[in-house]
Amino acid sequence: MSGKVHIIGAGLSGLSAAVRLADAGAKVVVHESAGHAGGRCRSFYDRTLDREIDNGNHLIMSGNHAALDFLKRIGSDDALTGPADASYPFVDVKSGERWRVRINDGVLPTWVFDPDRRVPGTKLFDYVKAARIAFAGKDKTVADLVDKKSALYARFWEPLTLAVLNTTPDHGQARLLWSVIRETFLLGGKASRPLAAKKGLGPAFIDPAVAHLRAKGAEVRFNARLRAAAFAGGRVSALDFGEEKITVGDRDEAILAIPPSRLKQIVPDADPPDDDASILNVHYRTRHPVPATPLGDSPFIGMISSDAHWAFVRHDVVSLTVSASHAIGMDDVPNAKAADDMWRETQIALDLGDTPYEAVRVIRERRATPDQSPAAAEKRLKPETAWRNLTLAGDHIATGVPATIEGSIRSGDRAAAIVLNRRRAA
């Protein structure tokens, strides 16, 4: 384990790689360009709301084994909350209809036989027809394989695709979506429970990870932006941070856990998928805590026939997510109009009557995820590179799953495994 491992980027992929390596006894240095860790998965104090909020809402599934293992490693096992069973509350904002999809625990999906447990307005044959997605070719989108005229499309396939792939069914690769279904819904309720951070993404995933790394002797450097990398003799030989240049020794390794747009600047030959898929998040503070009755024991509710897709409630803060805002025209809607329009939807979804909000914060993540179309999915990079001491991590890496928290952590785990195997073989 002689030599250092330089990890560029303290998002989830970089942190997961660092934790794996530090746990294995490697000397780890994490370099982060921002003044904080977490990347697109973080919490921060917002002055407008006078509250600690997440930059965006993230949902974990009980079948996300990499994410749950990461939490266990950093001592954050109890950081998530969710319903006692695999149930998902929904509301159709236009009609006012409410329902809860409840997936049974067994592998045999008996829930699709029960009209009270499945999506309302759907028939058993709708689910049978949807099995085509299991055999999707790499060039097929979700819309290519499901019935767009069925109620199951509007009330299941479309919201699921938007949430998981951050794009529309007409654009998202069916094979990537199937990977999530295969590891969660197909395994029954025990793998399909929806989970969210109790106190926020920072307290759940980020702060404990940084503390864990430092306890292991790892160095975590903030405000350290990599400007360039030097390559010589088939390896990375130096890292340029502007005022500081670090020589990468013969026994040193480097992991680039940075977004595709940054990766292109550092490794000009790299051709990852574009990372310009956006997400719109709107956070409201109310005068009093929001009643959780419409949510039941869930921390969120899905919204249909509305601009907003998901509403998360934490005390007196309601956080809305609009996935794929670039693809559905919401990136062009002014902040004030978006906030007011979606609050009216929220009043219906959460049964708030004419309750006003006291403050609002609109956050637009212009580069939330990579493109996850069939063509872009084929451009996802392998973690191994042409340079013998350089490995890649991030949600644009070919992990076999979409660009989610689970995918990011898997990419970091894989990068760490590659480095450790290379060192053991040396």
Side-chain angles (χ1 to χ4, degrees):
M1 290 299 169
S2 60
K4 294 181 178 179
V5 182
H6 295 278
I7 299 175
I8 316 303
L12 272 179
S13 57
L15 289 176
S16 62
V19 166
R20 286 273 181 178
L21 288 163
D23 285 352
K27 298 176 182 178
V28 174
V29 183
V30 180
H31 310 267
E32 169 56 46
S33 61
H36 52 78
R40 298 187 299 268
C41 176
R42 66 186 182 92
S43 303
F44 66 97
Y45 172 75
D46 182 75
R47 293 183 179 179
T48 300
L49 298 179
D50 189 27
R51 295 290 185 273
E52 188 87 7
I53 62 172
D54 293 336
N55 63 324
N57 303 311
H58 292 266
L59 198 63
I60 311 299
M61 304 280 279
S62 55
N64 292 159
H65 59 83
L68 296 180
D69 178 70
F70 175 75
L71 291 174
K72 184 176 181 180
R73 282 175 174 271
I74 61 175
S76 196
D77 322 46
D78 194 39
L80 304 181
T81 185
D85 59 355
S87 60
Y88 293 76
F90 284 91
V91 57
D92 188 314
V93 172
K94 185 174 294 185
S95 68
E97 184 180 5
R98 297 178 182 275
W99 66 93
R100 184 177 288 265
V101 175
R102 294 179 296 135
I103 300 168
N104 61 285
D105 280 349
V107 176
L108 182 66
T110 57
W111 64 278
V112 302
F113 295 90
D114 187 345
D116 293 330
R117 298 177 73 102
R118 67 183 184 227
V119 178
T122 62
K123 301 177 181 178
L124 177 60
F125 190 59
D126 293 328
Y127 298 85
V128 174
K129 288 192 297 183
R132 294 175 60 200
I133 200 170
F135 308 98
K138 62 184 180 181
D139 61 334
K140 297 298 183 182
T141 67
V142 176
D144 288 335
L145 301 171
V146 300
D147 183 2
K148 296 179 67 173
K149 297 180 181 179
S150 70
L152 191 61
Y153 179 85
R155 294 183 165 189
F156 179 78
W157 289 116
E158 187 171 39
L160 182 65
T161 305
L162 288 166
V164 173
L165 300 184
N166 193 34
T167 191
T168 61
D170 292 311
H171 194 74
Q173 191 195 47
R175 184 175 287 185
L176 277 177
L177 186 64
W178 170 246
S179 70
V180 173
I181 296 172
R182 184 183 65 240
E183 296 185 3
T184 55
F185 299 118
L186 197 67
L187 298 180
K190 290 185 178 180
S192 306
R193 281 183 61 223
L195 305 169
K198 290 179 183 177
K199 298 180 180 180
L201 297 171
F205 288 90
I206 309 306
D207 301 340
V210 173
H212 180 85
L213 288 171
R214 286 176 169 157
K216 289 285 185 176
E219 183 181 357
V220 182
R221 304 173 65 237
F222 296 123
N223 301 306
R225 182 180 178 83
L226 181 65
R227 306 301 177 98
F231 301 90
R235 57 188 301 281
V236 177
S237 57
L239 300 172
D240 182 357
F241 291 92
E243 295 182 358
E244 180 184 18
K245 292 180 175 60
I246 297 176
T247 299
V248 180
D250 291 342
R251 295 181 179 273
D252 294 344
E253 297 269 351
I255 296 175
L256 292 182
I258 54 180
S261 52
R262 288 280 297 122
L263 182 62
K264 292 178 183 179
Q265 298 171 3
I266 304 301
V267 186
D269 292 339
D271 186 27
D274 293 333
D275 58 345
D276 54 0
S278 56
I279 294 177
L280 169 62
N281 298 287
V282 184
H283 305 270
Y284 305 90
R285 190 196 72 219
T286 57
R287 178 170 296 180
H288 303 290
V290 176
T293 304
L295 283 67
D297 58 353
S298 175
F300 71 94
I301 188 169
M303 299 166 67
I304 306 297
S305 303
S306 58
D307 290 330
H309 299 145
W310 303 93
F312 289 74
V313 177
R314 189 179 292 137
H315 305 299
D316 60 353
V317 174
V318 178
S319 299
L320 304 183
T321 292
V322 182
S323 300
S325 55
H326 64 291
I328 61 176
M330 288 301 293
D331 279 358
D332 301 323
V333 179
N335 285 357
K337 177 174 172 52
D340 288 343
D341 289 350
M342 286 195 282
W343 182 250
R344 284 189 286 272
E345 297 173 348
T346 304
Q347 290 173 324
I348 297 171
L350 300 181
D351 198 18
L352 296 177
D354 59 357
T355 300
Y357 62 83
E358 287 197 322
V360 62
R361 173 68 188 274
V362 177
I363 299 176
R364 296 182 184 272
E365 295 183 272
R366 299 292 186 180
R367 296 184 178 276
T369 65
D371 182 1
Q372 300 189 84
S373 66
E378 286 302 295
K379 294 179 65 176
R380 298 178 93 187
L381 302 177
K382 293 181 179 180
E384 300 91 346
T385 71
W387 297 276
R388 61 179 179 272
N389 67 339
L390 177 64
T391 310
L392 304 180
D395 55 14
H396 56 283
I397 301 302
T399 58
V401 296
T404 57
I405 283 179
E406 176 73 4
S408 293
I409 292 175
R410 286 193 194 187
S411 77
D413 289 347
R414 178 60 181 151
I418 290 170
V419 169
L420 290 173
N421 288 339
R422 196 152 50 209
R423 288 186 154 205
R424 288 163 182 155

